[in-house]
Amino acid sequence: IIGRAQWERVVEQLRRDGDPALPRRSYEEFKATALPIIQEAGAASEQAFDAALAADPLRPGTLMRRAFTHDAGTPEGRAQRLEDLRRARDLAPFAPSITLSYGQALLEENQTRQAIRALQRLAANPHGGEAAEEARGIIAEAEALQASSPPAP
């Protein structure tokens, strides 16, 4: 659910912000103690979201929330996360939070072209506010990754 890279990003952001809640444990300590509790709660949440979606499969917000219960440490969990976010975005193409979550998830899977494509409409919206700014930031990150990657054969 929470990988080392994500842990390090959060700790670095807290450090930059001077946050007193800065974790005093290493990732290994977190993984051994707190992560099992989080995973257990995530499994229960996933079951609850599954039941909600069985009753009404056309709820984009429920799909988006369920996406974050999948185990991001496994290829299957990441694929399920992307699929839930894609379905949520297809059901609610103008919901900025869903679009941003989907674009970020694509970027985290190094699917830079797809991330850019998913975020372009939101990024181009002159009235998109913070969501449009965030979309432009994710697009810039995706473009930088593309520029630093060797061309595909």
Side-chain angles (χ1 to χ4, degrees), residues 85-108:
L85 289 171
R86 183 199 59 76
R87 286 182 53 217
R89 196 272 329 259
D90 289 350
L91 289 168
F94 298 106
S97 62
I98 293 172
T99 299
L100 287 168
S101 294
Y102 181 54
Q104 183 65 46
L106 287 166
L107 180 63
E108 289 170 7

Side-chain angles (χ1 to χ4, degrees), residues 1 46 50 66-73 77-78 80-81 84:
I1 291 175
E46 188 172 358
D50 288 346
R66 182 178 73 174
F68 294 104
T69 67
H70 299 303
D71 184 356
R78 290 191 306 273
Q80 288 174 315
R81 176 179 168 207
D84 279 351

Side-chain angles (χ1 to χ4, degrees), residues 13 24 45 59 62 72 105 107 115 135 142 148 153:
Q13 184 63 50
R24 303 211 185 336
S45 296
R59 306 250 343 179
T62 304
L107 180 63
S148 68

Side-chain angles (χ1 to χ4, degrees), residues 107 115-117 119-120 123 134-144:
L107 180 63
I116 292 167
R117 195 174 9 204
L119 294 166
Q120 283 176 330
E134 190 171 341
R136 288 189 289 273
I138 296 169
I139 288 173
E141 192 176 340
E143 289 172 338

Side-chain angles (χ1 to χ4, degrees), residues 22-56:
L22 186 64
R24 303 211 185 336
R25 298 187 273 181
S26 69
Y27 176 73
E28 286 72 23
E29 291 171 309
F30 164 76
K31 191 173 176 182
T33 58
L35 192 56
I37 296 167
I38 293 169
Q39 288 173 327
E40 185 177 319
S45 296
E46 188 172 358
Q47 291 171 355
F49 286 125
D50 288 346
L53 288 168
D56 185 358

